[in-house]
Amino acid sequence: SDLLPTNPLGSVTGSPWFNWIQLALTTPVVLWAGHPLFEKAYSSIQTRHLNMFTLIGLGTSVAFVFSVIATAAPGLFPEAFRMHGGHVGVYFEAAAAIITLVLMGQVLEMKARGQTNAAIKALLKLAPKTARIIRDGGQEEDIPMSDVHSGDKLRVRPGEQIPVDGSVLSGASSIDESMMTGEPIPVEKTKDDKVTAGTTNQTGSLIIQATGVGKETLLAQIVRMVSEAQRSRAPIQKLADSVAAWFVPAVVIASVLTAVAWIVFGPAPAYAYAIVNAVAVLIIACPCALGLATPMSIMVATGRGAQTGILIRNAEALETMEKVDTLVLDKTGTLTEGKPKLVTVYAASGFDEKQILSFASSLEKGSEHPLARAVLEGAKARGITEISDSSDFQSITGKGISGTLSGKKILLGNGKLLEDAGVSTSAFLSMADDLRSKGQTILFLAIDQKAAGFIGVADPVKESSREAIQSLKALGLRIVMVTGDNKITAAAVASEVGIEEVHADILPDDKGSIVKRLQSEGRKVAMAGDGVNDAPALSQADVGIAMGTGTDIAMQSAGITLVKGDLRGILRARNLSHATLGNIRQNLFFAFGYNALGIPIAAGVLYPFLGILLSPMIASAAMSLSSVSVIGNALRLKRANL
C-alpha cells in the first residue's frame, strides 16, 4: 500500500477536513477547466465514435467521483478499500493533474499546428495592402487593394511586391518568384510577360495591367488549395480510424480486467490498487497520438510543397504519388515552353506568303489555342495588318479551325482536318515532313477546298525537360508521351528529351483512353498536362499533374499543380510524397508502439517483479508527451530535402 499515491504532508492528510480542502481546490479544475473534455467524451459516446476523450472522461470521472463519495460518505466503503489507518484513499490530485496535463498537451499541439501553417501565413504576408494606380490622365496614387479592378494600369517600383496577376505593359525588371516557385534565381520580365501577385520586383520600374485581382490571383488560389489540402484526409488515415474503432473498447475492457486482476490477486487494499491501475490504463492508452499521426504530417507536407512551388490539392494525391510507376506527358506546354513561334510560311502555286498569313491570322483571331498566338504575332512581325473578322468560325477539337473570310471557306489545321474535308496535301508532304523532323508543327491552309500552303510553328523544348526525364527514368518510372501533334514532330521532341514511348495524332478523348488502358495493366498512372484538352486525362489518371503556366481547367482537374511548370517539380513531388508517407508510418509506429508498451506497464505487469506501479498522473504526462513526439516528428518534414 505504500506504493499507492500518498501525500507528504503526514498527519495533516489524515484529517477528515483535508479531503474537503482537496475537493474545494480540485472541483474548479475538473468541472470547469475539464468541461470541454467531458463534453467531447459525452459526444463520443452519443455518436458511438469512441476516441481519446472517451478514455480521458472515463478515467477522470472514476477518480473524481470515487473521491467525492469517499469524502462525503466514507462509511459506504468496505475494508478492502481502506488504507493503513482505516481511511479511504482519495484521488482528487490525480483527476486534477490529468485534466491539467491533457489541456497542456492540447496547448502544445495547437502551438505545433500553428507552426504547420507557417507556409500559408508566409504566403498571406506576400500580398501587399495597397497598389499604385495610374489614372487616365497620368496621375498616380496609392489605393487599397480592394479598389483595384481587372484592367487597371498599375506601377510597381523597385523593391515593391507585385500587387495583382497581370502582364507587363512597359518597363523591364527581374522578379523574385522564389516564394511561389521555390527557384532562387530572379526571372527577367519585359513587355507582354506575365507577372504574379506576391512576387517581388527587384531592379526596374514596371507598368502592368491587372488581369487577376483578389480571389482570382494565383496567390489566392495557392492559399486556398493549401488550406483545402491540409483539411483533407489521406487513404492511410483509414488505417488509424479502423484501429481506433476497436481500440477504445479494447482499452475499456483491458481497464476492467486490470481492476478485476488487482481485486483478485492484488495485495491489500486490493480495491484501491484496482481503481488506481484501471484509471492509469484508461489514461495512458488515449489514442491521441494515433489521431495526430496522419493529419499532422499532411499539414506540414502540403505547406512544405507550397514553398517549393508544388501545390497539393488533396492528401490522396500526395499519398498516391509515391506509388506511381507510369508517367504520361503531354508535349506542348509540358515538355516544351508552350510559347510557339512562327518559323516557316509556304505558299502553293497561285498564292503568296502574305495571302497565306493574312487568311491564317484572320481565322486564328477567334481561337485561344497557343498556336493561334504564334500565328498572330508572326503575322504582325512580318507586317501583316489586314486581319479581318471571320464568320461561321468553328473549332474542331484535335484537328484545327474553319471559317468564312471574304466569302471564301477557309480551313486551317493538321492533315486530318483537310483529309476529312476531301482536300489533298500530298504536294506538301515531303517538305512538311522534313520540317516536322526538326520539331516544327505544321498547319495546312485550304481556301475553297484547295490546298493553298502551310505554316510551320516551332515550340522550343524546356531546358529542364531532358534532365527531369532522365531523373524520373532513373527512379524506374515508365515515361509515355501523348500528343495531338504529328508523329514526326512528336518523335523529334521525344528524341530530344529521351522518351522512347510516343503516342502521336491523339485526340483529347483518346488521351484519357490511353491512361485507362495503362491502368488496366495494373499500373499507377500520373498524367502531366497544361491545356483544356488534357483535362479528361488528368481526371482519369491516379494523379493529375497540371502545369501552373497552363489553363485554369487543367489546374482544377489535377491533384497536383507545379507553379513554375517545370517537370523537375514532378521529381520534387515524388520525393515529398515518399518523405511524407515515411513520416506517417513512423508516427503510426510511435503511436502503436507507445500503447503496446504503456498499457501493460499501467496495468501493473512490472509490480510482481520490480514493485513498480504507474501513477495516473504519470500516465497522463506520458500520454501528452506521446502526442508531442508525433508532432515533433511531423515537423521534421519542414526541412525535407526535395
Side-chain angles (χ1 to χ4, degrees):
S1 62
D2 55 344
L3 291 173
L4 287 171
T6 57
N7 199 298
L9 296 179
S11 59
V12 177
T13 63
S15 303
W17 49 265
F18 186 72
N19 286 355
W20 290 100
I21 293 175
Q22 290 188 77
L23 174 61
L25 292 174
T26 59
T27 296
V29 177
V30 175
L31 298 186
W32 180 71
H35 181 258
L37 303 180
F38 289 117
E39 271 193 334
K40 291 177 181 178
Y42 180 69
S43 176
S44 72
I45 294 170
Q46 267 192 322
T47 58
R48 298 181 183 177
H49 287 100
L50 306 183
N51 53 36
M52 61 172 280
F53 297 107
T54 316
L55 300 181
I56 292 168
L58 282 172
T60 51
S61 296
V62 168
F64 187 74
V65 172
F66 176 89
S67 301
V68 170
I69 297 172
T71 299
L76 296 176
F77 293 90
E79 192 62 32
F81 282 95
R82 298 181 182 277
M83 305 288 190
H84 295 300
H87 66 278
V88 180
V90 293
Y91 307 103
F92 288 118
E93 76 281 14
I98 289 167
I99 294 292
T100 303
L101 288 167
V102 170
L103 291 174
M104 283 178 61
Q106 293 208 307
V107 168
L108 290 173
E109 179 187 326
M110 288 173 65
K111 187 175 180 181
R113 282 181 183 271
Q115 290 184 43
T116 66
N117 286 322
I120 289 183
K121 291 174 183 174
L123 287 169
L124 289 171
K125 287 179 182 176
L126 292 176
K129 302 292 185 292
T130 61
R132 190 168 189 80
I133 192 170
I134 302 175
R135 303 291 186 188
D136 291 339
Q139 305 95 335
E140 298 183 13
E141 65 173 302
D142 292 326
I143 61 172
M145 285 303 305
S146 57
D147 293 339
V148 178
H149 303 286
S150 184
D152 285 349
K153 286 201 300 185
L154 307 171
R155 182 180 295 280
V156 185
R157 292 164 292 194
E160 292 183 336
Q161 288 168 314
I162 308 292
V164 296
D165 287 359
S167 59
V168 178
L169 293 176
S170 64
S173 183
S174 57
I175 306 292
D176 179 3
E177 299 181 337
S178 58
M179 192 60 197
M180 304 288 283
T181 66
E183 295 294 333
I185 301 173
V187 181
E188 297 298 323
K189 300 286 184 180
T190 57
K191 191 176 185 306
D192 293 333
D193 284 339
K194 295 184 183 303
V195 291
T196 306
T199 55
T200 305
N201 182 28
Q202 292 194 325
T203 54
S205 179
L206 296 174
I207 295 178
I208 66 172
Q209 184 169 39
T211 56
V213 299
K215 295 179 181 179
E216 298 173 357
T217 64
L218 179 61
L219 177 62
Q221 290 181 51
I222 290 174
V223 171
R224 186 165 59 251
M225 287 176 70
V226 173
S227 299
E228 289 173 357
Q230 290 187 340
R231 293 194 298 269
S232 64
R233 293 164 61 83
I236 198 171
Q237 177 70 29
K238 293 176 183 175
L239 171 64
D241 292 344
S242 60
V243 168
W246 59 261
F247 182 77
V248 174
V251 169
V252 174
I253 293 170
S255 176
V256 172
L257 292 176
T258 297
V260 171
W262 278 97
I263 290 170
V264 175
F265 303 107
Y271 281 85
Y273 274 112
I275 290 171
V276 170
N277 289 291
V279 169
V281 168
L282 287 172
I283 299 303
I284 202 167
C286 286
C288 46
L290 191 63
L292 290 171
T294 297
M296 288 302 297
S297 296
I298 294 297
M299 288 178 73
V300 179
T302 50
R304 175 73 176 115
Q307 290 176 329
T308 56
I310 303 165
L311 304 185
I312 312 295
R313 177 168 290 280
N314 55 58
E316 183 176 0
L318 183 62
E319 179 177 334
T320 307
M321 191 65 196
E322 185 197 39
K323 304 169 188 172
V324 166
D325 56 21
T326 303
L327 177 62
V328 177
L329 299 170
D330 175 46
K331 179 179 75 69
T332 305
T334 303
L335 288 165
T336 64
E337 295 283 358
K339 298 176 181 177
K341 295 181 180 179
L342 182 63
V343 178
T344 305
V345 180
Y346 175 79
S349 177
F351 301 92
D352 59 48
E353 292 185 5
K354 186 175 181 180
Q355 188 179 15
I356 297 297
L357 267 180
S358 179
F359 276 117
S361 56
S362 295
L363 201 58
E364 290 284 25
K365 186 180 177 182
S367 173
E368 295 183 356
H369 195 279
L371 295 179
R373 182 178 176 183
V375 172
L376 288 166
E377 290 181 352
K380 184 179 179 182
R382 286 167 170 77
I384 303 299
T385 56
E386 296 178 13
I387 299 179
S388 309
D389 290 326
S390 62
S391 58
D392 302 325
F393 178 84
Q394 185 179 6
S395 176
I396 300 97
T397 305
K399 296 177 183 178
I401 53 179
S402 66
T404 302
L405 286 163
S406 303
K408 300 179 185 294
K409 180 67 175 178
I410 311 296
L411 296 174
L412 180 66
N414 57 26
K416 190 165 181 58
L417 176 69
L418 271 66
E419 181 185 322
D420 290 348
V423 180
S424 174
T425 58
S426 57
F428 309 145
L429 287 183
S430 177
M431 188 184 301
D433 286 348
D434 182 55
L435 295 172
R436 284 169 176 154
S437 66
K438 297 174 183 176
Q440 291 188 33
T441 297
I442 303 301
L443 302 176
F444 294 104
L445 182 77
I447 302 175
D448 285 339
Q449 295 297 106
K450 184 178 181 181
F454 64 80
I455 291 171
V457 176
D459 187 7
V461 172
K462 293 176 183 175
E463 292 181 9
S464 59
S465 289
R466 183 171 181 82
E467 177 192 341
I469 295 300
Q470 296 310 311
S471 299
L472 290 165
K473 286 169 73 174
L475 292 176
L477 267 68
R478 175 181 172 183
I479 311 295
V480 181
M481 187 172 90
V482 178
T483 178
D485 214 336
N486 180 271
K487 290 181 180 179
I488 299 174
T489 305
V493 173
S495 175
E496 188 173 346
V497 298
I499 297 176
E500 291 81 27
E501 190 173 347
V502 180
H503 298 271
D505 288 321
I506 300 299
L507 295 175
D509 290 344
D510 293 334
K511 289 184 180 182
S513 299
I514 290 173
V515 170
K516 194 178 294 186
R517 177 169 58 77
L518 289 166
Q519 290 171 325
S520 69
E521 296 173 7
R523 293 188 167 274
K524 284 286 183 183
V525 182
M527 165 73 190
D530 76 325
V532 174
N533 61 341
D534 298 317
L538 290 171
S539 299
Q540 175 63 42
D542 295 290
V543 182
I545 303 171
M547 302 292 117
T549 49
T551 61
D552 286 344
I553 191 169
M555 293 175 66
Q556 294 298 324
S557 303
I560 296 174
T561 297
L562 308 180
V563 174
K564 195 180 178 185
D566 186 334
L567 283 180
R568 288 175 297 190
I570 297 178
L571 195 63
R572 294 194 191 102
R574 173 93 170 184
N575 291 339
L576 179 63
S577 175
H578 183 77
T580 304
L581 270 293
N583 192 271
I584 289 173
R585 293 183 187 108
Q586 291 165 7
N587 285 346
L588 291 174
F589 176 79
F590 289 156
F592 284 125
Y594 163 81
N595 283 303
L597 183 66
I599 291 174
I601 294 175
V605 294
L606 297 180
Y607 182 74
F609 311 103
L610 303 175
I612 295 175
L613 284 179
L614 195 66
S615 159
M617 288 184 288
I618 301 299
S620 180
M623 179 266 292
S624 297
L625 287 174
S626 73
S627 299
V628 173
S629 67
V630 164
I631 293 168
N633 188 53
L635 289 172
R636 291 192 308 111
L637 285 170
K638 293 175 72 174
R639 299 183 298 275
N641 183 18
L642 305 181

